[in-house]
Amino acid sequence: MWSEESFVGGHLALDFLNTVGDTDKSRSANLLTSPEALLDWLAVSGTEGRDAKVTPPLQDDVDALIGFRELTHRVLSASVSNRTPEPDDIQAFEAHIKSALGRAHLDLTVTPPPWIATKVPAHHWIDRFVLLVDGFIRSPEAAKLRQCERCSWFFLNSGRGRGRRWCNMSTCGNRHKVAAHRKRRQVNDKG
């Protein structure tokens, strides 16, 4: 299910937010459907080792992650579009971060030291991803955040000027080109 094209965000937090299979802005095709799908995603992302001594996720954990993913998507989409997120979304987003940080510990063996989620099963899975997102939004990379013009996915724009417009040229970029070509043909056929 997961391939290289599932990891085009440029940061693992963005790749997590991109775990939907939509080809438009609907976000209707959830790809994190089960604990197994989450574990598969972690394996392909190369980060599954962090959770080696933790109880595997339950469906409730996955459901909580999907809720947090969609909340975060709404907050970041508003930010990227220069809109103010809904007050309830901001409050819920901040509450997730505060709770996760309250249970986390610093890994002082790494510079800069990251926050590490608790190993307590009741909180580990949600905290792990909340801390991942928190780390991203506090990083200098957050200034490069962009959203695909065609779908709902996020990515880091490292180019000068406008740079990237699509999450992936081989998917959304090609869809855009095909749609533009069809539109030009329709105009020419009518003219």
Side-chain angles (χ1 to χ4, degrees):
M1 173 192 297
W2 309 107
S3 67
E4 281 185 32
E5 291 184 357
S6 302
F7 297 89
V8 298
H11 190 283
L12 194 60
L14 302 180
D15 293 330
F16 164 67
L17 296 175
N18 294 344
T19 55
V20 293
D22 60 339
T23 57
D24 54 21
K25 299 285 186 182
S26 70
R27 296 187 65 79
S28 60
N30 175 37
L31 299 177
L32 286 182
T33 56
S34 66
E36 294 77 20
L38 174 61
L39 292 173
D40 287 346
W41 184 86
L42 289 168
V44 175
S45 75
T47 62
E48 69 182 333
R50 294 183 198 170
D51 306 300
K53 296 180 181 179
V54 177
T55 304
L58 303 173
Q59 188 62 47
D60 286 348
D61 297 315
V62 174
D63 294 343
L65 285 174
I66 292 167
F68 175 70
R69 179 192 70 192
E70 294 310 302
L71 169 66
T72 303
H73 187 272
R74 289 191 305 273
V75 169
L76 294 183
S77 288
S79 177
V80 167
S81 301
N82 294 318
R83 294 180 288 114
T84 302
E86 293 295 321
D88 289 347
D89 284 348
I90 293 171
Q91 187 176 12
F93 185 67
E94 287 178 357
H96 274 291
I97 292 172
K98 289 175 184 176
S99 294
L101 286 171
R103 291 186 289 264
H105 69 276
L106 279 173
D107 180 357
L108 297 173
T109 64
V110 181
T111 303
W115 288 101
I116 304 298
T118 178
K119 300 285 185 193
V120 176
H123 303 289
H124 174 76
W125 292 102
I126 188 73
D127 287 357
R128 183 189 197 288
F129 286 93
V130 170
L131 294 170
L132 178 66
V133 168
D134 179 63
F136 169 72
I137 64 173
R138 292 184 199 224
S139 75
E141 292 177 312
K144 300 175 186 176
L145 180 64
R146 299 293 182 272
Q147 190 169 24
C148 183
E149 290 183 12
R150 187 152 183 95
C151 74
S152 67
W153 283 24
F154 290 113
F155 59 90
L156 295 178
N157 181 15
S158 301
R160 287 185 265 164
R162 185 171 182 185
R164 273 173 74 179
R165 296 171 52 196
W166 304 288
C167 59
N168 190 337
M169 188 60 196
S170 67
T171 55
C172 287
N174 280 342
R175 287 183 191 116
H176 175 79
K177 286 181 175 184
V178 168
H181 177 71
R182 280 190 195 130
K183 190 174 181 178
R184 282 191 305 273
R185 277 189 82 178
Q186 287 174 348
V187 169
N188 290 340
D189 289 346
K190 289 179 183 179

